Amino acid sequence: MTATVTTPGPRRARALRKKAVLPWLFLAPGLLLALVFKFLPMGKGVWLSFFDVRPFLGDQWVGLDNYTRVLTDHRFQDAIGHTLVLGIGMSLGAIVAGFLLALLLEGQARSLKIIRTAVFLPVVTATAVVGEMWRLMYYPTSDGLINSGLGLLGLGPVPYLDNPDTALWATMAMGIWMLAPYNMVIILAGLAGVDRSLYEAAAMDGVSLWQRLRHITLPAIRPALGIVLTLAAIRGLRVFTEVYVLTGGGPAGSTDVWMTRAYTLGFSRNDIGGASAASVLLLCVTLLLTVTVNYFRKRGDVR
Amino acid sequence: MSAPAIDPVRTPVTASPPRRSAGKQRTTPARFDTALGWSDRPGPAWALRVLLCALALGVFAAPFLTVFSGSFSEKASGSTLSFLPHHPTLLNFQVAGERGIWDYFGNSLVIAGGGLLLQLAVCTLAAYALARHRFRGQALILTLFMLTMMLPEEVIAIPLSLVLGHVPVVGLDLKGTVWGVILPLGAWGFSVMVLTEFMKDIPAEIEEAARIDGVGELRMLWQVVLPLCKPALGVAGVLGFIMIWDQYLLPLIAAKDPTDYTVTVALSILRTDPEVGSGVVLAGAVIALVPSLIVYLLLQRSLVTGIAAGATKG
């Protein structure tokens, strides 16, 4: 500090300037990478979505043609339905399953911690690996792993992934399996914050277990549930890897979601303009959803 | 302000040991410990809980056992999965090795190691500026970093693949190099956020004392701030590793030909190879599974606290 006081004017000005530049030096690598590999592609995607992209011939401005083409394409319309069914089903299923897991595995005992560690495995496993696992478990003959379990219950073998009627539900089951333990951890953190004396007081009042859950536990973990729901909804919209590794969108497009469709359009059909338009639409919905949810969450916090 | 304020990231770590030791003199009975009021003593409720726990383990953990056993089985197929391998053998791994699985695994390790190092370095620098400095446009910069989290890879995949093929200004072609995967993973909003929150709670006195001793900015970050941030670095490191290892689309679009694939992407090559059976695919899956398993088991505490912290903050 003493150095600054004794230095003459110009040197102090230089020190000040140095101080102003310094944070930007620290931020530069991160900003540069985000700019080149996130925001630039985003801008480029928006730009390309208005063009008919033709390699070697030059791009041609087509206005909103790509958007109307994508929105009127019946395979994209089907994909919207699948994305919604898969996104909502996976989110809700994973929340219910995560909540039940959390209720079951709440506690301090060492054995419970070990079980929680084991149950959490699906979350840390790469999606592609999970896809291979489930493909084998879904083996369509009666001696496949899941089918032999059904056989014990006296039910016939189900060709999960090969039948257009069941493929989407089979994909959803895998998604729930992957997400539920993640939700469990967040809900457990919420459960840990519940005031224990409330449970005690409720017991003294002779409150039933169901009422206790309904009136003490649920309100207490509502913030945690809100977070889980938001994350799940946003994740559900952009679901790609799960579907791509498990079914590739098949059979007969029955599991095609928005992003697998856009990927096929862009990389297999080389329709860059149409694929960009599809991506921009999804991006808009994602951002809109995030902003809306954040707005309501902030308003909820203030209240 | 100093110690308790950083608790959101640490709570479960510090909270568990005292609870266990305080168990004996606790006044409230154990049945108020959980929402459902599970009891520790054997009885019908206890038996039900054991049964349900076994069911949960069977659903969520047992499939991993079948994968491991299948990878060591002589003739594994979708129809012969079980918990113990039939005729244990290493043949599947040998065949997977002949199909180049270890090369793919090498790609994965380089990308995960390099990507994680770059990510931690970049995000630490950014977090240091955001947490310990005041400057114009700070809120905007923070929002930009948050946006990187909201901008899914999937949505920018197609333009990103064009950018990777020809990086603007410098005109480099990153396709087919590990940089094509590593560089886009550098700026990760989650790590910036966790590290910023943590660094904000380091008392100003420590920094001032160091400054009087004439410590410069870089040494300050390296020798004063970073050692205090170890828990947050652990969280960012574990979640970052798992995130990078889970990448599928990025290695797929950044590759020039299949030899550039990571091990997770290469599983699809094994699967579509008509000459190899399910056992070989499972061997590949095990090879792709083990690193994230090791990281998880070593550092699971940071991971779980990180998820809780990320969820309450993000």
Side-chain angles (χ1 to χ4, degrees):
Chain A
M1 284 311 265
T2 46
T4 359
V5 176
T6 50
T7 45
R11 263 178 82 181
R12 194 195 294 172
R14 210 179 309 144
L16 265 179
R17 222 177 306 134
K18 195 180 152 204
K19 214 177 164 208
V21 169
L22 209 68
W24 295 101
L25 286 179
F26 283 95
L27 288 168
L31 285 178
L32 192 69
L33 288 178
L35 201 71
V36 175
F37 296 106
K38 292 273 183 188
F39 298 115
L40 180 80
M42 186 181 78
K44 202 174 173 122
V46 175
W47 176 256
L48 288 174
S49 71
F50 297 112
F51 283 89
D52 180 15
V53 182
R54 302 173 304 175
F56 311 118
L57 291 171
D59 301 348
Q60 196 172 23
W61 173 268
V62 292
L64 290 174
D65 273 11
N66 287 325
Y67 288 90
T68 48
R69 191 157 45 85
V70 164
L71 284 172
T72 50
D73 177 14
H74 74 98
R75 292 201 66 169
F76 260 106
Q77 289 167 351
D78 289 350
I80 296 182
H82 299 150
T83 309
L84 288 179
V85 169
L86 204 59
I88 295 172
M90 257 167 55
S91 311
L92 286 181
I95 286 173
V96 171
F99 183 53
L100 293 177
L101 276 178
L103 285 179
L104 176 68
L105 299 177
E106 192 192 3
Q108 296 291 321
R110 213 181 148 72
S111 54
L112 285 172
K113 280 182 192 154
I114 295 170
I115 298 175
R116 283 202 294 262
T117 304
V119 163
F120 196 72
L121 282 175
V123 179
V124 293
T125 309
T127 314
V129 178
V130 171
E132 296 306 330
M133 269 169 73
W134 276 73
R135 185 196 304 283
L136 282 167
M137 296 201 309
Y138 276 144
Y139 203 72
T141 60
S142 60
D143 41 11
L145 192 74
I146 298 182
N147 271 328
S148 60
L150 280 185
L152 290 179
L153 299 172
L155 299 168
V158 179
Y160 300 94
L161 298 175
D162 304 328
N163 184 336
D165 296 331
T166 52
L168 192 63
W169 305 107
T171 312
M172 191 188 294
M174 184 185 95
I176 293 174
W177 184 82
M178 280 181 72
L179 275 176
Y182 185 88
N183 293 343
M184 172 190 80
V185 170
I186 298 176
I187 295 171
L188 271 175
L191 283 177
V194 180
D195 188 355
R196 308 290 155 197
S197 61
L198 284 177
Y199 288 154
E200 206 175 347
M204 276 176 193
D205 293 342
V207 156
S208 78
L209 194 64
W210 169 246
Q211 284 171 319
R212 185 161 123 176
L213 269 184
R214 170 83 184 71
H215 295 290
I216 301 176
T217 311
L218 273 184
I221 64 165
R222 230 182 45 196
L225 281 183
I227 293 154
V228 167
L229 202 67
T230 318
L231 292 174
I234 293 164
R235 236 191 97 117
L237 278 180
R238 51 185 257 219
V239 55
F240 172 81
T241 314
E242 287 90 333
V243 175
Y244 190 77
V245 296
L246 194 61
T247 63
S254 62
T255 56
D256 234 348
V257 287
W258 193 261
M259 268 327 295
T260 54
R261 194 70 210 130
Y263 181 87
T264 316
L265 206 60
F267 288 108
S268 311
R269 303 268 178 83
N270 266 322
D271 180 358
I272 308 262
S276 299
S279 304
V280 170
L281 285 172
L282 183 66
L283 179 66
C284 291
V285 177
T286 313
L287 287 181
L288 196 72
L289 199 70
T290 316
V291 171
T292 319
V293 168
N294 271 338
Y295 171 74
F296 280 111
R297 249 173 65 195
K298 277 207 183 102
R299 232 181 49 171
D301 285 346
V302 173
R303 196 155 15 99
Chain B
M1 260 320 267
S2 57
I6 35 185
D7 257 355
V9 186
R10 279 185 182 163
T11 310
V13 184
T14 49
S16 46
R19 277 207 103 182
R20 209 185 303 151
S21 59
K24 272 173 197 152
Q25 61 257 43
R26 195 170 41 199
T27 47
T28 46
R31 69 194 168 103
F32 298 122
D33 259 4
T34 57
L36 288 186
W38 294 109
S39 126
D40 296 342
R41 260 158 303 219
W46 183 82
L48 178 69
R49 192 182 203 190
V50 171
L51 197 72
L52 289 175
C53 283
L55 185 71
L57 280 179
V59 171
F60 288 96
F64 290 91
L65 286 181
T66 65
V67 168
F68 274 99
S69 89
S71 70
F72 290 106
S73 293
E74 196 182 297
K75 270 190 189 162
S77 82
S79 58
T80 55
L81 290 181
S82 69
F83 295 125
L84 286 173
H86 309 270
H87 310 291
T89 168
L90 285 173
L91 196 71
N92 293 326
F93 288 89
Q94 203 185 322
V95 175
E98 283 160 17
R99 309 277 154 169
I101 196 82
W102 297 111
D103 295 335
Y104 299 123
F105 186 70
N107 289 346
S108 276
L109 281 188
V110 170
I111 285 168
L116 192 62
L117 267 182
L118 179 79
Q119 194 178 71
L120 284 180
V122 165
C123 296
T124 308
L125 287 175
Y128 180 68
L130 285 166
R132 312 300 293 182
H133 285 273
R134 294 276 153 274
F135 57 92
R136 259 170 203 278
Q138 198 157 14
L140 178 76
I141 298 297
L142 194 62
T143 314
L144 276 183
F145 278 117
M146 299 289 251
L147 262 178
T148 63
M149 271 200 299
M150 284 178 217
L151 214 91
E153 243 84 45
E154 292 86 354
V155 172
I156 55 169
I158 288 144
L160 180 61
S161 85
L162 299 177
V163 169
L164 289 178
H166 183 88
V167 180
V169 186
V170 281
L172 278 175
D173 181 5
L174 294 179
K175 282 202 173 181
T177 67
V178 288
W179 295 107
V181 188
I182 289 177
L183 289 177
L185 296 170
W188 193 32
F190 176 82
S191 291
V192 174
M193 192 182 67
V194 167
L195 289 165
T196 305
E197 287 295 318
F198 205 89
M199 284 182 190
K200 270 185 188 162
D201 293 323
I202 295 171
E205 291 83 32
I206 296 182
E207 206 184 312
E208 275 158 23
R211 235 175 256 288
I212 288 169
D213 291 342
V215 172
E217 285 292 333
L218 272 179
R219 261 188 67 200
M220 173 82 73
L221 174 61
W222 186 251
Q223 291 185 341
V224 179
V225 175
L226 273 193
L228 291 169
C229 284
K230 270 185 194 150
L233 281 174
V235 166
V238 187
L239 281 165
F241 180 86
I242 286 173
M243 179 272 243
I244 295 174
W245 199 264
D246 192 25
Q247 288 294 326
Y248 191 87
L249 192 53
L250 191 56
L252 191 66
I253 62 170
K256 230 178 198 141
D257 60 83
T259 53
D260 302 326
Y261 284 172
T262 56
V263 67
T264 47
V265 181
L267 285 179
S268 64
I269 299 180
L270 280 185
R271 186 213 312 144
T272 48
D273 189 334
E275 285 166 34
V276 306
S278 302
V280 179
V281 182
L282 286 177
V286 165
I287 292 168
L289 178 67
V290 164
S292 40
L293 210 63
I294 293 173
V295 168
Y296 167 55
L297 291 178
L298 285 180
L299 298 160
Q300 47 154 321
R301 199 171 267 175
S302 314
L303 179 76
V304 169
T305 51
I307 287 175
T312 47
K313 296 237 173 69

